[in-house]
Structures are given as structure tokens and as C-alpha cells.
């Protein structure tokens, strides 16, 4: 579970708006690259929204990170005509362990934005945004990879998601590193030949892996651009390269392994349950990856349904907050409709996708991954 402050039941203190719409929720989805904030009422009205920069306490410190977060929070509260709310529901990147949720929750609560505060890892926002109730598992593969699950009774399943340190494999950054490794060894003769040795340097207008490695080493190509190589890997796999295809297959294995472990922990492996797929890598619906994930999941959890998340994660933070204050189902649907409409997702296969997660079946912000067309916390999973 996420961190909950002494504000607890959220029945005292906190701002109220609109009479019958009380109480109010401040929803925060703070990822590594951007932050989205919304103020919503228990009646389903969205009073204010704002966007800010990424949330990176490990890089800048908790205090400066909270200062940066304060800018969009104050903007959204001002738009709502409030100075504080009943409950703060914050889904934060880099809240990878419960102890981090507690520390960040305490720092957030000290800002006085709500009578009660609950902090969760940002992957929970993606999960909750794609389901009608807090029930299911989500695997998010963007810059990194992560997986969480939850049941209505409050039980959750999660992973540390610290990258290789915690046993993870995959994500856009990990795929780029693997592709570079195989391509370098192919060119110098230590490894199996692969078209990656040509497609990776060609992406940067270079002729050889030697040239690419030198450019990366000397900083002529900034290290942050390595993520551009993940789509090159998928294109090379689509063209039939054996090594590239093997990396895509391994990613599918990792996605399904994380999902089935989470389902097992929650005693849902044999249940009818949604498994949500989010993040830029899974949202891209690369044919080989998408088909492999569905095939493996069908074999290991036959009653699970794979869906691709389409709604913006701040919706998930808002829904978690509305769950907490006991908002009725119709209020949650109004909030969902607002964010799906404002994000340009209407349930169709061709809808524009959000930066962090995408796709929709028009009712719960997710799209079945059953053959129809359809993306990191410690390792940047959501990117």
C-alpha cells in the first residue's frame, strides 16, 4: 500500500468545494520527465489542472524536488479556487520502496496541501487509470520496466524496479544497451553477425559500430540519445534479424514473467483479471512483441485479459484519491471522461497516445490486446 498520513479518513480539515461535491482530491502523477496535477471533487468535477517538470529526488534532493512539484500544484489549486484539499493522492516516480513512499509522503504532507496524503509508486497510476476498480496487474515498459498489482481489499504486489540491481531486464534503455552489446561484438568478430551492427550506427549517420562507440564515448553523441536505438532494434527485428528478434522475444518473456509473478502473489493467476500494458515500448504495439506477450500470457494465465493503457496516468492518481474518499462510481466515470477527452483518446485504435501510456476501449481507459492494433520508479519504467 502507499503511504497514508495521519489525515487518515479525510473527514476533518481540507478544503471543500461545491457543497454536494465535497470532499476534494489533489491528484499528482509525477514521473521522471513530467508532472501532471489535477484537483477533482468527489462529485466528479475537475476544478483545475497543471503540468510541471519531472520529479527526480535522487538527482536533486527531496527538498528541491518538492519545490519543483509545488509549482504545478499551486497552479492547479489556484485554478480550482482552493488553498488545500481533503486528500492528496500522489503517484511518484522514484518511490520504489514503502520506506521511500513514507518519506516522500511525509515531505508532501508537510506542504499543507491536504488534510490527508497517500503516496504510491507512479506505476500504480497507470494501473488504476486503465481499470474500472482497483483490481488487476500492470506491466509498464518505457525507459525501464516495472510491474504492480492490486486487489480491492488493499493487497498489492510490486517489484523494487531498480534495474539490473534488482534483477530487471528490458525497458527502452536496457534494450538499447543490449543492442549495442550485440552489435559491437558482431562487428569485431566476438559475436554472431547481426544487422544491428549496421542499423545502429546508420541511425546517427555513421558507417560502423566503431564510429558509434567512439562518438558515444567522447560525448559527440550525448548519452541521453541512446534511447533512440530501441525503435531501431524493433525495426531490425521486424526485418527478420535473428539477434534482434531474440531480444524482442526475451522482452516478451520478461513482461509476462513479471505479470504472472504478480498475479500469483495476489492469488489471481486463475482468475478473470485485466493485465494492463503501458509505457512507450508496449504502447507502440510492435507486432512481434505484442503477439509474443499475448501468446505467453494466454499459456500461463488463460483467464487473464491483456489490455493496453490509453488514459493519462494522472487519471489513475485521481481515481485512487476518489476511491479513498468514497466517491460514487458515476463521479469516477465523469472524471475518466474528462481526461480521456482532453488527452485525445476515445477508444479508437488511431487515437493520439499520451507520452507515458496509451490505447482505449472507451469505457475504462484500456484497449484489449487481442489482435487489434496498439508502450521507470528506479529504472524509469513509464517513460
Amino acid at each position: 500500500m502507499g503511504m497514508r498520513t495521519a489525515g487518515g479518513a479525510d473527514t476533518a480539515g481540507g478544503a471543500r468545494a461545491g457543497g454536494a461535491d465535497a470532499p476534494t482530491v489533489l491528484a499528482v502523477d509525477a514521473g521522471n520527465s513530467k508532472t501532471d496535477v489535477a484537483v477533482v471533487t468527489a462529485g466528479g468535477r475537475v476544478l483545475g489542472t497543471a503540468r510541471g517538470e519531472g520529479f527526480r529526488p535522487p538527482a536533486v534532493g527531496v527538498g528541491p524536488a518538492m519545490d519543483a512539484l509545488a509549482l504545478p500544484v499551486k497552479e492547479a489549486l489556484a485554478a480550482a479556487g482552493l488553498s488545500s484539499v481533503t486528500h492528496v493522492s500522489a503517484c511518484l516516480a522514484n518511490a520504489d520502496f514503502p520506506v521511500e513512499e513514507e518519506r516522500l509522503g511525509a515531505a508532501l504532507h508537510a506542504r499543507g496541501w491536504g488534510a490527508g496524503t497517500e503516496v504510491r509508486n507512479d506505476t500504480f497510476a497507470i494501473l488504476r487509470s486503465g481499470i474500472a476498480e482497483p483490481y488487476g496487474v500492470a506491466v509498464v515498459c518505457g525507459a525501464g520496466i516495472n510491474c504492480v498489482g492490486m486487489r480491492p481489499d488493499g493487497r498489492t504486489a510490486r517489484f523494487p524496479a531498480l534495474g539490473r540491481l534488482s534483477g530487471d531486464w528490458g525497458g527502452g534503455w536496457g534494450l538499447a544497451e543490449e543492442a549495442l552489446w550485440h552489435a559491437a561484438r558482431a562487428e569485431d568478430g566476438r559475436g554472431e553477425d547481426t544487422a544491428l551492427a549496421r542499423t545502429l550506427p546508420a541511425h546517427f549517420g555513421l558507417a560502423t559500430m566503431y564510429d558509434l562507440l567512439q562518438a558515444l564515448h567522447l560525448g559527440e553523441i550525448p548519452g541521453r540519445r541512446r534511447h533512440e536505438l530501441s525503435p531501431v532494434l524493433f525495426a531490425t527485428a521486424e526485418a527478420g534479424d535473428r539477434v534482434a528478434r531474440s531480444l524482442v522475444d526475451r522482452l516478451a518473456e520478461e513482461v509476462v514473467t513479471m505479470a504472472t509473478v504478480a498475479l500469483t502473489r495476489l492469488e489471481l493467476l486463475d482468475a478473470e483479471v485485466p493485465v494492463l500494458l503501458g509505457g512507450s515500448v508496449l504502447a507502440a504495439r510492435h507486432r512481434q512483441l505484442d503477439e509474443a506477450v499475448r501468446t505467453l500470457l494466454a499459456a500461463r494465465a488463460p483467464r487473464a485479459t491483456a489490455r493496453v493503457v490509453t488514459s493519462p496516468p494522472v487519471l489513475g492518481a485521481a481515481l485512487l484519491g476518489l476511491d479513498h474518499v468514497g466517491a460514487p462510481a458515476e463521479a469516477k466515470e465523469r472524471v475518466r471522461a474528462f481526461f480521456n477527452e482532453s488527452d485525445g483518446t476515445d477508444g479508437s485504435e488511431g487515437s493520439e497516445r499520451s507520452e507515458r501510456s496509451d490505447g482505449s476501449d472507451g469505457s475504462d481507459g484500456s484497449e484489449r490486446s487481442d489482435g487489434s492494433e496498439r508502450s521507470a520508479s528506479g529504472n524509469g519504467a513509464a517513460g
Side-chain angles (χ1 to χ4, degrees):
M1 286 291 294
M3 183 273 182
R4 184 174 298 169
T5 69
D10 296 329
T11 55
R16 302 296 175 100
D21 281 341
T24 50
V25 171
L26 174 67
V28 178
D29 169 61
N32 284 296
S33 61
K34 65 178 175 63
T35 294
D36 283 318
V37 178
V39 179
V40 303
T41 73
R45 291 196 295 145
V46 179
L47 302 180
T49 63
R51 172 166 289 187
E53 63 184 54
F55 183 75
R56 299 182 295 274
V60 303
V62 173
M66 288 295 169
D67 290 341
L69 180 61
L71 298 177
V73 167
K74 291 179 179 178
E75 181 181 343
L77 286 172
L82 301 173
S83 59
S84 67
V85 297
T86 312
H87 179 69
V88 178
S89 173
C91 295
L92 308 179
N94 305 295
D96 300 306
F97 289 89
V99 65
E100 290 176 309
E101 291 178 335
E102 292 172 6
R103 292 170 181 170
L104 292 170
L108 193 61
H109 192 62
R111 297 284 168 148
W113 294 326
T117 303
E118 189 166 21
V119 168
R120 297 176 184 265
N121 177 271
D122 61 336
T123 308
F124 281 100
I126 295 178
L127 170 59
R128 186 63 184 88
S129 71
I131 50 181
E133 61 177 333
Y135 175 75
V137 165
V139 182
V140 181
C141 185
I145 190 166
N146 199 359
C147 175
V148 298
M150 62 196 315
R151 296 185 61 134
D153 62 9
R155 281 186 287 168
T156 63
R158 61 191 297 174
F159 298 84
L162 302 175
R164 292 187 66 84
L165 179 64
S166 56
D168 307 326
W169 191 95
W173 283 99
L175 289 174
E177 291 295 311
E178 290 289 333
L180 285 166
W181 189 88
H182 283 281
R185 292 175 66 87
E187 182 173 273
D188 68 21
R190 289 178 293 169
E192 178 182 347
D193 183 47
T194 169
L196 291 168
R198 296 169 288 281
T199 59
L200 298 188
H203 174 74
F204 294 106
L206 300 173
T208 67
M209 278 302 298
Y210 185 92
D211 295 336
L212 176 55
L213 295 172
Q214 177 175 271
L216 288 169
H217 176 66
L218 296 178
E220 296 167 355
I221 296 175
R224 66 179 180 273
R225 294 192 63 191
R226 292 188 190 188
H227 73 89
E228 298 174 20
L229 297 176
S230 177
V232 179
L233 166 65
F234 281 102
T236 306
E238 183 71 20
D241 182 76
R242 197 204 71 80
V243 172
R245 291 184 66 82
S246 72
L247 294 176
V248 175
D249 285 338
R250 183 176 176 186
L251 178 59
E253 175 70 32
E254 187 71 10
V255 168
V256 175
T257 295
M258 295 186 88
T260 53
V261 168
L263 289 170
T264 300
R265 290 180 185 174
L266 293 172
E267 300 179 287
L268 294 174
L269 189 62
D270 298 318
E272 293 184 4
V273 59
V275 172
L276 305 184
L277 307 174
S280 58
V281 173
L282 290 171
R285 279 195 173 277
H286 301 288
R287 184 181 303 277
Q288 179 191 348
L289 178 61
D290 192 61
E291 292 179 353
V293 166
R294 289 186 285 107
T295 299
L296 291 170
L297 185 64
R300 299 177 192 177
R303 301 182 69 192
T305 302
R307 300 174 178 172
V308 177
V309 180
T310 68
S311 301
V314 69
L315 167 62
L319 293 174
L320 287 167
L322 292 175
D323 292 339
H324 182 84
V325 300
E330 57 270 23
K332 298 173 188 177
E333 286 308 307
R334 281 196 287 274
V335 173
R336 183 184 295 282
F338 173 90
F339 282 105
N340 283 343
E341 179 179 351
S342 64
D343 192 53
T345 56
D346 60 5
S348 64
E349 295 172 6
S351 297
E352 288 298 316
R353 310 292 205 225
S354 67
E355 177 183 349
R356 293 182 39 170
S357 59
D358 316 290
S360 177
D361 68 1
S363 60
D364 61 5
S366 63
E367 173 183 350
R368 292 176 63 102
S369 180
D370 58 4
S372 56
E373 291 298 312
R374 167 95 167 125
S375 80
S377 88
N379 61 10

